[in-house]
Structures are given as structure tokens and as C-alpha cells.
Amino acid sequence: MNLFADIRNAVLEALNALQADGTLPEGLDYANVAVEPPRDAGHGDMATNAAMVLAKPAKMKPRDIADALAAKLADDPRIQSAEVAGPGFLNLRLDAAAWAGIVRAVLVNGADFGKSDMGQGQKVNVEYVSANPTGPLHVGHTRGAVFGDALASLLDYAGYDVTREYYINDGGAQVDVLARSVYLRYLEAHGQEVTFEGGTYPGDYLIEVGEALKDRVGDAYVDQPEEVWLEDVRNMATEAMMELIRVDLGMLGVQMDRFFSEKSLYGTGKIEAAIDSLKAKGLIYKGVLEPPKGKVPEDWEPREQTLFKSTDHGDDVDRPIMKSDGAWTYFAPDIAYHYDKISRGYDLLIDVFGADHGGYVKRMKAAVSALSDGRVPVDIKLCQLVKLFKDGEPFKMSKRAGTFITLRDVVDEVGPDVTRFVMLTRKNDAPLDFDFDKVLEQSRENPVFYVQYAHARVCSVLRKANAAGIAHDDATLADADLAGMTDEAELALAKKLSEWPRLVEIAARSNEPHRVAFYLYELASDLHSLWNRGNDKPELRFLQEGKPAETQSKLALARATAVVISAGLAILGVTPAEEMR
RNA sequence: GCACCCAUAGCUCAGCUGGAUAGAGCGCUGCCCUCCGAAGGCAGAGGUCUGAGGUUCGAAUCCUCAUGGGUGCGCCA
């Protein structure tokens, strides 16, 4: 139930009536007519720009349209007053019963209050993390994991049919490097001295893989050439790393619907099929690329390559899909992978990348556009860098020493709930500072705590009501008499609740789950201010001693707030706290 | 050199398909509390939304250019 959508419908009906009686000309486009909360609460509960938007097409003065619209809307029982203001806004004040209705709707619908049907059940594929299977996930991956997961939940809540997917880069050269690294650990397990050269991975996490290999094959691979062991070790190592990654994701509560292997595209004709599809559209050709201007690589020499004509679909230069030795470039399997997603019938694709893949966006969009003939939109979200701090001091990571901070380090230190919430308190394309001490602070400046505390306070009140023998199940509270809900702090809270369904749609439309986190902070803030007001005005306290009926009315609002906080946190993947310690 | 992202209060950041006097936290100033709902509360000051043009009834928001910062740029994924 979205009150703003309901009132917008009322406005549109009134506009239709005005067209019917000849006040307005026929055939007006309502697309830009909006009903939204005004910035200033003094302007009323809702405002519509209808008069200003329609003034030009109707060839009328905004004021005249607004006056006529106000007269029509006066008939609506939900609308207490409608007055024209400013350049032509129509400010609406709603009947007090509307806010009581919101509280009831929350209690009756529970976590479903706020769900939207804007997705219309469309199939969306959200691809995220997709880290190379060469080691444990680090902080950068963590942000992508949290962001992608929350986005997927948000879209699900907004009525989309969502698939969470991880693309395993197990077909390229980097898994060969992984295999060689494991092989070194294997030799080490046999007592040999080894050095990690040629970009091999020195991390400790491969020691046990090397030992496991020794346990399985004994000394069969010792002093043998790569042809003997590479494929076997690669498969084993990749599997071990994916197991590691699955466990890491599990620590964060991330559960993928599907892991898609790049390797499964090779030798199965899938890459060829995707490229053939582009070939059939005349988008594959052999040619020579210009060197990049301003920064010519030292070993540059013109070469003929097989190219994808991505410039036909918005890219800046055409991109190579095949190396000079006839092998595919990394781009070719990526094309095939997206071709596979398209052929699985998705209406919308979303890729979550790290910011260092920004240069990859245009060619990927071009590929999807070409493969789907422009039918399937793809939104690529880039997650910016995470900077770690400890007590205000930057936390240095050294790749050389292998001391990079992993997802596991972060979750072990602050827990999954704090990790997730903090990662979502910034827009995805803005850099994020993560301070191990600040995120655990119990104060207003820490949004994680502030939101959790609001929920815990409501739980505490309900526990006390329980002890006092007051019925406080949602059905009972939904029937409570809310006529006494008249204080401005109470109304502000109820109004904030009414914005939840609208916020869900806005956040989902822009694929920005951080908006949920900010909304929850505002909602918590409104609950805390009502609570604080109870200090001065005992009649505003949620527990009214000796007055069970009054207490139930107060509890209705408190419980409704907790329900929405809980629903919002569920989208972020955060567990609501029952009590603070 | 080119592409993409970013620039909002002293600091860290929000700001809806373009809406009214641009918001929050911190910091600052003043007041309140110091057993009973203060892991604080209330109020206030603080802005050329990087700059210059443009579109519009209306621009922090859209377009162009400039400046400053980040990321990336043909056989690595």
C-alpha cells in the first residue's frame, strides 16, 4: 500500500474529471505529474506539481489549473485541505485518519508493507562478486558482495524475479598461475625449498592445498613437467578456492543462486555461437587498431586482429576478441556469458564490478546491446574503493608481504551485520572509509548502532508490556484506537512510515540500496525523538501505566516502526537487534 | 591524448523521473539532564551546491566548456 501512489491516482482522476467537464483540454500526458512529500513540512503532507506540468500543454495558467484541481480534490474524504502555493504547487493536507490507516496497514501486512509490484515479475539477473578463484575474498570484494546482495534483495522486494549469479573466471591464464602456485606448495610439502616467482601467489592459504595434493598423488608430480600435472592441479586448486570463497560469502550471509563457470564456455561451442551471432550482424571483422594517443606502449606495433565492432553500439574503439595466436581474448568468453544470460530470458541484466573495471563498461554494454538487438538493458554498477582505518589511522595493506585484509578479517572483527550496514551507508560509486573502531561505537553518529537501537527499544517496550500482561500481538494492535495519535512527533513518525513503499520504488528504480540505509536512519531518528519527547511529556510514552487501551494505541505505532525497520534491514541483509549490550 | 566516475556547511556525507527557504551527523555557541525512559536532549550560527555559459515556468539535479581529484586505455582477466 503506497499512500503517495493512491493520492496520485486521486489527482489523476480529478484531472480526468476536469477534462470531461471541459475545464482542461483532452489528451493531456500525465507522465510528469508527481505527488511527493514536500521538503518543508509546513507546506502540508503532500504536494503535486500537476498544475505546473500541465500549464503549457493545456495552454492555461498554472494557478487556474491548480484552483480547479483543488476544488475537485476537496470531495475526497482522505484530503482535508488543498491549497495553491508558490509557483503553482498544490499542497495537500491529509485527514488524520490517513496516518492511523498507515499504522494499521503496517501491522496487518507485516514485512510485506512496502512491497511493490513495479517489477511486474520481470526476470533480472544480478551478477556480483565474480572474483577470480585465486584466493580468499578481500575488502574490495566484500563491498561488491554486500552491494550486489542488497540490490538483489531490494529488487526482489520491488517485485522482480531475481537471480543472484557469480561468474567464475576459471578459464584464463590466472588459474594457471594459481596451479603453479599450488604446485610450489606441493613441492614444499615434499621438503623442497621454493621461491614464488613469475607472479605466483605466495599466500599461506595455498599451503594446505599443496598438502592435500601430496596426500592424493604422493610424489607422482615431483620434478615432472607441466604437461603432466597442470590440468589436474588447476582443477583441484580452482575447486579449493571456490570452496574457500563460498565459505567467505557464507560468513557474510551471501547465498548465490548460481555459479557460472567460464571454463564451461570452452570446447562446447558456446563462444563460437555467440561470436557467430555477432558475425551474422556484420559486427566481426579483421582490422588494425590505432595505438592509444598520448600513451603509446613501448612495444607497440600495428597488428591485424579479429575485432568486434563495438563502436556501432556506443563504444569508443572496436575491441579485439581473438589473440594473434588464435586463442580468444578474455572479452570473448564474457560476450558468450552475457549471450547465455540473454538466452536464458532475462529482461534486465545487472553487473556489479569494481571501479577498476570502469573501462570495461562501454564494451560490455555494446556487446549486450548487439547480442540482444537492443532489447535487453544492462546496468553496470561500479563499486568504489574501501579505505580501512583503525582508530582514525589508515590501515596499510601490503600485497608483497601477503598481508592484505580479507573479508574474513573484517567479519571476524566486527561481525556480518555491521560489515553489511556500513558498506551500504555510502553510494556505490563513492569511496568508502571503514574504521574498525568507529563502526562499533555506540552513539548517534554510528548509523548501525542508531538503527539497531531503535529496533531494540521497541522490543524492550514490548517485553515490558508483556510483563504487564498487555496483549500486544499485531492483530490486537491493528485494532487499537489511534484517535489519540495527534502529537507532532507521533505524526512525523507515522508519516515517515508512509514513505517506505515509495522509497522502495525509488531505490529499486535507480538500483541504489544505500537509500534504504539512509531511510532507516531517518526512521530511527524519528522514533528516538518521539521517545525523547516522552521524557518531558509522559503522555507520549509507549507504556501508559494502568491504561492498557492507551498503551496499545502507543504500542501500535512503536511496533509498526519496528516492523518497517526489520523489513528494511532484511533487504540490507542485517539482523535486527532485540536488545543492545 | 581519450573514456568513465567524482566535486554540496569547517569535516564526513545525503539530496527522489528537474520543484518551493539545499538537509543530516560531527565540530562550534547557548540552554537543559546528572535515581524514576539522558549509551543524552533542545535551540542557534554556519552555503556563490568548484567556475562559466545554456535548456526550462523552475537547475545541486539535464546539456556544453573550463578547473581540480580518482580509475582505466591493443595478444591480463
Side-chain angles (χ1 to χ4, degrees):
Chain A
M1 128 158 220
N2 186 337
L3 192 55
F4 290 87
D6 292 348
I7 298 298
R8 180 171 185 268
N9 284 333
V11 168
L12 299 191
E13 278 171 31
L15 290 171
N16 279 335
L18 290 173
Q19 287 194 38
D21 67 20
T23 311
L24 287 174
E26 303 274 331
L28 292 173
D29 179 10
Y30 297 153
N32 290 324
V33 173
V35 171
E36 32 187 30
R39 210 186 288 274
D40 184 344
H43 289 138
D45 301 317
M46 294 184 181
T48 179
N49 60 356
M52 289 180 292
V53 171
L54 299 177
K56 196 175 228 179
K59 292 175 184 142
M60 292 173 65
K61 289 178 186 167
R63 191 117 200 148
D64 294 342
I65 300 178
D67 283 335
L69 185 57
K72 279 277 186 245
L73 287 172
D75 298 338
D76 194 308
R78 290 169 299 183
I79 295 170
Q80 196 185 67
S81 72
E83 54 188 60
V84 186
F89 283 101
L90 190 57
N91 289 332
L92 306 176
R93 245 167 248 284
L94 267 54
D95 193 86
W99 310 119
I102 289 290
V103 173
R104 273 191 214 99
V106 175
L107 293 169
V108 168
N109 295 297
D112 286 351
F113 174 81
K115 272 197 179 173
S116 168
D117 60 358
M118 73 178 267
Q120 303 276 318
Q122 286 188 84
K123 288 182 66 178
V124 183
N125 184 291
V126 184
E127 181 210 329
Y128 57 111
V129 193
S130 297
N132 291 342
T134 54
L137 298 177
H138 57 68
V139 269
H141 299 129
T142 308
R143 187 174 187 185
V146 170
F147 174 82
D149 204 50
L151 174 57
S153 297
L154 172 63
L155 293 174
D156 179 73
Y157 198 70
Y160 291 88
D161 178 8
V162 181
T163 303
R164 295 154 201 260
E165 196 155 311
Y166 185 122
Y167 179 61
I168 309 171
N169 287 287
D170 55 2
Q174 78 286 350
V175 284
D176 288 342
V177 176
L178 172 73
R180 290 183 194 111
S181 308
V182 167
Y183 183 72
L184 288 173
R185 290 299 188 186
Y186 164 79
L187 294 180
E188 202 175 44
H190 278 284
Q192 295 193 19
E193 286 277 326
V194 298
T195 49
F196 291 89
E197 290 168 338
T200 46
Y201 309 121
D204 291 346
Y205 56 90
L206 293 179
I207 294 175
E208 59 182 287
V209 185
E211 284 172 353
L213 180 60
K214 178 189 169 195
D215 289 347
R216 182 162 64 80
V217 303
D219 59 3
Y221 292 161
V222 176
D223 297 331
Q224 294 294 316
E226 272 192 12
E227 301 87 81
V228 175
W229 51 264
L230 186 67
E231 187 179 349
D232 181 36
V233 177
R234 189 206 295 134
N235 288 339
M236 175 198 184
T238 307
E239 193 40 57
M241 291 305 102
M242 281 315 296
E243 194 46 44
L244 194 68
I245 287 170
R246 270 180 238 254
V247 172
D248 281 354
L249 290 174
M251 289 184 75
L252 255 191
V254 173
Q255 181 80 42
M256 294 288 172
D257 295 314
R258 179 163 185 169
F259 288 85
F260 191 101
S261 160
E262 175 193 357
K263 207 171 59 183
S264 74
L265 296 166
Y266 290 93
T268 54
K270 289 195 171 184
I271 296 178
E272 292 75 5
I275 300 304
D276 282 348
S277 157
L278 294 176
K279 217 176 262 178
K281 300 178 206 287
L283 295 170
I284 301 293
Y285 70 102
K286 284 189 189 289
V288 181
L289 287 177
E290 294 286 313
K293 287 179 181 141
K295 185 201 154 197
V296 182
E298 288 172 20
D299 59 347
W300 176 272
E301 51 184 80
R303 268 189 213 100
E304 192 184 66
Q305 295 168 299
T306 304
L307 299 166
F308 164 46
K309 199 167 171 45
S310 54
T311 48
D312 270 13
H313 290 266
D315 203 356
D316 307 307
V317 290
D318 293 338
R319 307 289 177 174
I321 55 163
M322 195 177 267
K323 303 177 196 173
S324 50
D325 66 359
W328 298 113
T329 65
Y330 60 88
F331 188 37
D334 279 347
I335 291 173
Y337 174 45
H338 282 77
Y339 188 53
D340 185 88
K341 288 200 264 194
I342 292 166
S343 65
R344 277 186 267 152
Y346 288 106
D347 301 297
L348 171 63
L349 302 182
I350 297 176
D351 291 351
V352 178
F353 292 164
D356 53 344
H357 286 62
Y360 200 46
V361 170
K362 280 194 178 182
R363 81 191 64 172
M364 212 60 252
K365 286 192 168 190
V368 172
S369 169
L371 290 165
S372 73
D373 293 316
R375 280 195 308 269
V376 180
V378 55
D379 190 9
I380 299 180
K381 308 296 280 186
L382 299 179
C383 283
Q384 272 290 350
L385 200 71
V386 178
K387 282 187 215 155
L388 293 171
F389 292 82
K390 186 120 186 161
D391 209 16
E393 294 296 313
F395 218 70
K396 290 273 188 273
M397 299 206 290
S398 164
K399 264 187 199 161
R400 209 175 13 150
T403 60
F404 56 99
I405 306 295
T406 62
L407 177 149
R408 193 172 298 216
D409 293 334
V410 177
V411 174
D412 280 346
E413 187 83 13
V414 303
D417 289 330
V418 168
T419 304
R420 293 188 65 127
F421 198 103
V422 172
M423 294 267 174
L424 291 165
T425 52
R426 200 107 312 170
K427 261 186 310 209
N428 60 288
D429 55 9
L432 169 75
D433 289 348
F434 189 102
D435 190 308
F436 282 100
D437 299 296
K438 283 188 181 162
V439 298
L440 293 175
E441 233 166 59
Q442 302 205 335
S443 72
R444 173 166 198 159
E445 56 188 300
N446 180 359
V448 193
F449 164 76
Y450 204 61
V451 171
Q452 290 282 30
Y453 185 33
H455 187 269
R457 269 185 157 170
V458 174
C459 291
S460 163
V461 163
L462 292 173
R463 280 193 296 270
K464 285 185 182 169
N466 197 50
I470 296 168
H472 61 273
D473 58 286
D474 289 351
T476 302
L477 296 182
D479 286 337
D481 177 12
L482 295 174
M485 191 176 73
T486 53
D487 185 83
E488 57 182 301
E490 293 174 319
L491 291 172
L493 184 53
K495 288 175 187 179
K496 186 62 78 178
L497 291 174
S498 76
E499 291 177 26
W500 171 237
R502 182 170 179 275
L503 181 113
V504 167
E505 294 193 352
I506 290 170
R509 185 164 49 226
S510 49
N511 294 328
E512 292 182 341
H514 77 274
R515 291 174 189 271
V516 173
F518 281 93
Y519 168 82
L520 291 179
Y521 181 80
E522 290 169 14
L523 180 62
S525 180
D526 284 341
L527 180 96
H528 289 310
S529 21
L530 173 56
W531 181 286
N532 292 325
R533 229 162 135 89
N535 294 325
D536 294 335
K537 300 184 175 179
E539 70 273 19
L540 290 179
R541 298 185 181 188
F542 295 116
L543 297 168
Q544 298 290 319
E545 207 168 333
K547 300 177 185 168
E550 279 85 341
T551 298
Q552 284 174 329
S553 324
K554 303 291 188 193
L555 289 182
L557 178 58
R559 169 63 186 156
T561 305
V563 167
V564 171
I565 289 177
S566 176
L569 288 178
I571 290 172
L572 306 185
V574 175
T575 318
E578 304 273 324
E579 54 185 336
M580 307 303 293
R581 294 177 191 276

